[in-house]
Amino acid sequence: MMNCITLSRKGVCRIVSSVRDNSLARRHSSFRKVALDWKNYRPAICHERNLAVKSIPVIRGVPFYTTQAINLSTSTEEVLQDSETDRNIIKDKEVGSGQVEQREFQAETRMLLDIVAKSLYSESEIFIRELISNASDALEKFRYLSLTGETVDNPGRPLEIHIGTDKINRTFIIQDTGIGLTNDEMIENLGTIAKSGSKAFIETIKEGKAGIDPNSIIGQFGVGFYSCFMVAKNVDVYSRSSKPGSKGYKWSSDGNGTYMIQEAEGVDVGTKIVVHLKGECRKFSDEESVKEIVQKYSNFVGSPILLNGTQINTIQALWLTDPKQVTKEQHEDFYRFVGGAYDRPRFTLHFRTDVPLSLSCLLYVPEGKPGLFDTQRDSQVNVSLYSRKVLIKNKADNIIPTWLRFLKGAVESEDIPLNLSRELLQEGAVISKLKTVVTNRFLRFLQDCARKQPEEYSQFYKDYSVFLKEGILLEHEQIQKEEISKLLRFESSLKSPGELVSLPDYISRMQAAQKDIFYLAAPSRQLAENSPYLEAMKEKNEEVLFCFEAYDEMVLLQLRQFDMKNLTSVEKQMRQMKDNLDLNALPIGSLTKEQAEGLVSWLSTILRGRASLVKLTQKLDTHPCVVTVEEMAAARHFVKTQFAQVPADSRYTILQPHFEINVKHPLIKSLNKLRESDPDLALLLAEQLFSNAMVTAGLEQDPRSIVAKLNDLLTRTFEKL
């Protein structure tokens, strides 16, 4: 027995459960109640179990189609109520009736059609976007005629775009209720490649005062219709003009250079396009596949789009709405839609501008933390680019820099120069300016958040600071680098642990004579405060920023300047500081002049090939020695990335380290004694001090190499006890 049946919108009856008797439908009274009128019927074939059903019921004079399974016990009233929710207008009733006239496309060569249909677009699914855009333009043209007082057939009809899919017959159908085409307009617009009726219409409405926005017209180049030949073996177009008394016409072509046109019966006002798909393109007759494509490219088209009777573009183009009129709930829904996310937006930037560019922008910062994949530099931008509500580029890396790839949202501008396929942007001054406007606006927005919402910004910085630092490394313009750097935060030598300061904060506290912004890279606060390099700065009482992340000092090295102040590492500053050490007046308790000169000479000999210079210093107090190089950040980066590839005898030649010793420190004084009493032990101690200094500077690639010498030093030391 059969439990329920399904009647499709295409007039295809499918039996859902097993059936053994093809007269079953006639025997069930509940089904007979649905068949209120059997006079107008449509043949149907049940494609499951090879069951033949000869009629489709008509309810209130309209053939009844539904995709819902109808239980055989369902009442007539329930079925009637369900049928009224089906808004599908696509019906297989158009029939060519007039004499067939064959014509050739009015283009220079057949090759042009091949280029448009087969080479212009990168993805075959684009044809759906193009056909919807054309249908949308047809609706806008009808609205214009209605507003200008033109007499039209059925002026009160709903302006909609209907799409139908039929997997059995392998067809994709799109039908609009717009302005329609006359015979001459079919020949002019469909028979001429690159003839844009929409472009001409834009010029018309610019001159009028009907209140139609020219930006609502999508078409520009007159080639979008021909994109359907990427997937079609044949295309039929049925159209009837809105002008009173107009006849219906059928246009048909296989895309091989010619087309046929004839009068047709049963054609509704508007345009219907039937795309007979190639075998390899059958996916475009699948409802779910088409739904995904429509929502990807054309979800925000101004008119309703119905797929098999159900509207699928229910999300508003929120970026075009007045920001003051958008609620928090609307933002959350839109964010989840465009971002494919399940969290909520942390920050929302929504703005519209007319100068210097026409721009509508809606950007969201996710509430959740970025994942490991998000931080990879090859990750894609998550902001979409639209033109006239139609998706141009899903990943707008031309507009949004890659270091802002954590953003989600939409950008639309009428000023963007598009190529013929409306898929790619033509690089140039406009694109560059648009990118700068969007980026700078977002940076200023974050700066405002930092002032007005310090706690929220602090959490954002904790989660997303890596992207800002990447931006400084990737941007080429200094002014852009400095805009980003206003958002950076660091711990400071003058502030409590955990308290972060910005570069503008630092500058506001600089001493009158101070010209540089100083920073120190260290793995932790404790190591930073115990660093010999910081010790050298304490006497000057100048603030030092602490960089705890491995890449922080590379970021500041790349930034170079901020607000006309040089960014200088304390290691470099220590190397450049003049040491006014008078050998004739050494501090009490330190080495004598003769001892100091002898020790420097001895160390220079045993460290030859490693230390390019050995010198005395009084910049240290609690540390015995220190190593300095000219650019410590660059040197550390070199050690991490390329040291292993450089021969051992060449490494120190590249680094050119200076070895500075503290003449007051007990270890240095002991070393001076040992070089005379126990030269071998002194040698081990001197090499260990140099190695320790290299480790402290972060210039030792593998500290494990020091362990063997350290063990030898400890062994010799304990032997003397």
Side-chain angles (χ1 to χ4, degrees):
M1 288 293 293
M2 177 183 70
N3 295 325
C4 59
I5 68 172
T6 299
L7 300 175
S8 78
R9 296 183 181 95
K10 298 282 183 298
V12 177
C13 179
R14 295 182 303 163
I15 301 301
V16 179
S17 304
S18 70
V19 173
R20 298 184 182 275
D21 187 353
N22 64 2
S23 64
L24 183 63
R26 294 193 298 272
R27 298 207 310 266
H28 280 268
S29 59
S30 58
F31 183 80
R32 289 199 300 272
K33 291 178 182 178
V34 178
L36 304 181
D37 182 1
W38 291 91
K39 294 180 181 179
N40 298 319
Y41 69 91
R42 183 174 301 182
I45 301 296
C46 177
H47 294 282
E48 292 191 16
R49 305 289 182 181
N50 296 318
L51 176 65
V53 178
K54 298 300 183 182
S55 300
I56 290 293
V58 175
I59 300 177
R60 298 177 183 173
V62 179
F64 174 74
Y65 313 116
T66 178
T67 54
Q68 296 178 347
I70 305 175
N71 191 289
L72 293 179
S73 62
T74 304
S75 68
T76 305
E77 290 73 21
E78 291 174 323
V79 175
L80 286 172
Q81 185 178 5
D82 289 342
S83 69
E84 291 174 349
T85 63
D86 192 340
R87 296 162 57 187
N88 195 0
I89 66 171
I90 298 176
K91 305 170 185 177
D92 187 15
K93 63 177 183 176
E94 299 86 0
V95 178
S97 59
Q99 183 177 357
V100 176
E101 180 182 4
Q102 184 164 327
R103 289 174 170 264
E104 292 185 356
F105 287 105
Q106 296 301 308
E108 290 186 5
T109 62
R110 173 180 168 183
M111 184 181 297
L112 180 58
L113 179 59
D114 290 337
I115 292 173
V116 172
K118 302 174 183 177
S119 304
L120 182 61
Y121 299 94
S122 61
E123 298 290 341
S124 57
E125 65 184 24
I126 291 292
F127 88 94
I128 296 179
R129 182 196 73 177
E130 295 299 301
L131 295 184
I132 291 176
S133 297
N134 289 346
S136 177
D137 287 351
L139 297 177
E140 292 300 324
K141 293 172 186 178
F142 179 80
R143 288 191 182 98
Y144 175 78
L145 290 181
S146 301
L147 291 172
T148 53
E150 293 284 340
T151 303
V152 293
D153 281 344
N154 191 14
R157 65 180 181 269
L159 300 182
E160 300 173 334
I161 301 170
H162 288 256
I163 297 175
T165 56
D166 186 344
K167 295 179 70 174
I168 303 301
N169 294 314
R170 211 163 63 219
T171 57
F172 171 91
I173 304 171
I174 180 169
Q175 182 171 349
D176 65 71
T177 58
I179 192 170
L181 297 169
T182 64
N183 180 67
D184 292 341
E185 288 169 341
M186 268 193 167
I187 296 172
E188 182 180 7
N189 293 292
L190 300 185
T192 306
I193 302 174
K195 169 66 177 178
S196 176
S198 293
K199 187 173 184 180
F201 180 71
I202 290 174
E203 299 302 321
T204 301
I205 63 177
K206 283 182 177 179
E207 298 172 359
K209 298 181 179 180
I212 295 291
D213 184 3
N215 293 330
S216 64
I217 303 300
I218 301 169
Q220 299 182 57
F221 305 113
V223 297
F225 167 74
Y226 304 97
S227 64
C228 61
F229 287 107
M230 290 188 294
V231 300
K233 61 181 181 181
N234 188 68
V235 177
D236 296 325
V237 180
Y238 300 94
S239 189
R240 181 157 70 91
S241 173
S242 296
K243 297 177 182 179
S246 295
K247 298 179 180 180
Y249 292 90
K250 176 183 179 181
W251 181 100
S252 182
S253 177
D254 59 4
N256 288 321
T258 63
Y259 64 92
M260 294 181 294
I261 190 167
Q262 66 178 139
E263 287 188 20
E265 301 293 335
V267 180
D268 291 330
V269 175
T271 300
K272 175 181 178 180
I273 301 174
V274 182
V275 181
H276 300 275
L277 298 166
K278 300 173 184 177
E280 65 271 22
C281 300
R282 65 176 66 248
K283 68 176 181 179
F284 299 116
S285 63
D286 177 70
E287 181 174 343
E288 285 303 316
S289 298
V290 171
K291 182 178 180 181
E292 290 180 5
I293 295 169
V294 173
Q295 291 183 334
K296 176 181 178 181
Y297 291 101
S298 306
N299 194 74
F300 303 106
V301 168
S303 301
I305 301 175
L306 292 90
L307 176 60
N308 294 330
T310 303
Q311 184 171 347
I312 56 175
N313 62 330
T314 57
I315 303 294
Q316 185 181 3
L318 213 59
W319 66 87
L320 297 177
T321 307
D322 184 349
K324 296 179 182 178
Q325 298 178 355
V326 184
T327 65
K328 180 180 178 181
E329 290 72 21
Q330 286 177 306
H331 275 306
E332 290 180 358
D333 291 341
F334 187 77
Y335 163 76
R336 294 187 181 104
F337 177 82
V338 297
Y342 298 96
D343 58 345
R344 294 179 295 181
R346 185 193 303 249
F347 295 131
T348 299
L349 173 60
H350 188 188
F351 68 93
R352 301 176 68 184
T353 64
D354 295 321
V355 290
L357 294 170
S358 172
L359 176 65
S360 297
C361 188
L362 181 52
L363 301 175
Y364 299 106
V365 176
E367 182 181 53
K369 296 181 180 180
L372 179 62
F373 176 77
D374 298 325
T375 58
Q376 301 300 314
R377 289 194 178 183
D378 57 353
S379 299
Q380 293 182 309
V381 169
N382 289 304
V383 176
S384 300
L385 178 65
Y386 291 83
S387 178
R388 295 174 171 88
K389 300 182 184 179
V390 175
L391 180 68
I392 301 301
K393 197 169 186 182
N394 200 32
K395 307 293 183 182
D397 51 0
N398 301 72
I399 306 300
I400 304 296
T402 55
W403 57 271
L404 286 178
R405 59 188 174 275
F406 62 88
L407 292 176
K408 302 179 186 296
V411 175
E412 176 163 331
S413 176
E414 302 302 329
D415 297 320
I416 55 176
L418 301 176
N419 71 345
L420 192 61
S421 67
R422 296 196 293 130
E423 291 183 274
L424 303 175
L425 305 181
Q426 298 175 5
E427 294 291 348
V430 174
I431 295 300
S432 178
K433 190 170 187 64
L434 185 61
K435 185 175 184 178
T436 300
V437 169
V438 174
T439 302
N440 286 343
R441 187 65 180 265
F442 179 70
L443 291 176
R444 290 197 299 271
F445 168 75
L446 285 183
Q447 291 164 16
D448 289 339
C449 290
R451 288 192 298 269
K452 300 174 183 178
Q453 303 171 266
E455 293 184 4
E456 289 83 354
Y457 179 78
S458 178
Q459 185 60 46
F460 160 79
Y461 186 78
K462 180 180 178 181
D463 295 338
Y464 288 91
S465 62
V466 62
F467 295 97
L468 302 177
K469 295 169 184 177
E470 180 185 328
I472 294 176
L473 294 174
L474 295 181
E475 290 291 344
H476 300 293
E477 299 293 332
Q478 180 64 22
I479 187 172
Q480 192 78 323
K481 293 176 184 288
E482 294 196 24
E483 280 298 310
I484 303 172
S485 66
K486 292 177 182 178
L487 299 166
L488 300 182
R489 298 293 185 267
F490 303 96
E491 287 197 28
S492 163
S493 60
L494 298 185
K495 297 293 181 178
S496 303
E499 185 176 353
L500 302 180
V501 301
S502 66
L503 293 177
D505 292 338
Y506 181 99
I507 289 178
S508 68
R509 294 188 294 271
M510 285 178 63
Q511 300 180 28
Q514 186 176 343
K515 297 181 180 180
D516 294 353
I517 299 172
F518 298 111
Y519 64 89
L520 172 63
S524 67
R525 175 93 184 201
Q526 181 181 8
L527 292 175
E529 291 179 335
N530 293 325
S531 170
Y533 304 103
L534 184 64
E535 185 176 271
M537 299 291 294
K538 288 181 179 178
E539 183 179 343
K540 302 178 69 174
N541 197 33
E542 291 176 329
E543 185 174 7
V544 177
L545 299 176
F546 294 148
C547 302
F548 299 142
E549 299 292 342
Y551 43 78
D552 279 352
E553 59 178 339
M554 286 303 299
V555 170
L556 297 181
L557 183 66
Q558 185 72 16
L559 180 58
R560 299 191 309 277
Q561 285 187 334
F562 180 82
D563 195 19
M564 306 296 290
K565 305 290 190 302
N566 291 326
L567 287 152
T568 305
S569 68
V570 293
E571 297 102 330
K572 181 177 181 178
Q573 177 68 8
M574 183 177 182
R575 185 179 177 112
Q576 294 176 344
M577 286 171 58
K578 293 183 179 180
D579 204 325
N580 300 318
L581 182 64
D582 186 357
L583 291 179
N584 295 315
L586 292 173
I588 298 175
S590 64
L591 299 176
T592 65
K593 177 182 178 180
E594 292 75 15
Q595 290 173 330
E597 289 176 338
L599 181 59
V600 168
S601 177
W602 179 74
L603 286 172
S604 298
T605 301
I606 65 170
L607 296 177
R608 183 177 291 115
R610 285 177 285 179
S612 63
L613 177 68
V614 178
K615 58 182 291 190
L616 303 174
T617 183
Q618 61 178 8
K619 291 175 286 190
L620 298 175
D621 183 25
T622 60
H623 293 81
C625 56
V626 71
V627 163
T628 62
V629 298
E630 185 60 30
E631 288 290 353
M632 190 67 79
R636 276 192 281 260
H637 182 70
F638 169 76
V639 168
K640 292 177 183 177
T641 59
Q642 303 180 46
F643 218 46
Q645 304 171 16
V646 178
D649 56 349
S650 301
R651 296 172 182 175
Y652 294 100
T653 303
I654 296 173
L655 293 175
Q656 293 289 304
H658 289 185
F659 187 49
E660 303 184 25
I661 59 175
N662 179 5
V663 294
K664 299 179 295 182
H665 199 277
L667 268 178
I668 299 301
K669 291 189 288 184
S670 298
L671 176 62
N672 182 63
K673 294 179 181 179
L674 284 173
R675 69 184 179 92
E676 295 180 356
S677 61
D678 193 339
D680 292 337
L681 181 58
L683 176 62
L684 290 174
L685 179 57
E687 290 182 339
Q688 188 63 47
L689 287 173
F690 179 76
S691 297
N692 291 350
M694 291 291 289
V695 171
T696 302
L699 298 176
E700 188 63 52
Q701 182 189 24
D702 186 3
R704 290 175 297 181
S705 62
I706 305 171
V707 174
K709 294 180 180 179
L710 179 59
N711 290 336
D712 290 342
L713 175 62
L714 292 174
T715 301
R716 290 293 305 274
T717 301
F718 281 102
E719 286 177 352
K720 297 182 69 68
L721 294 178

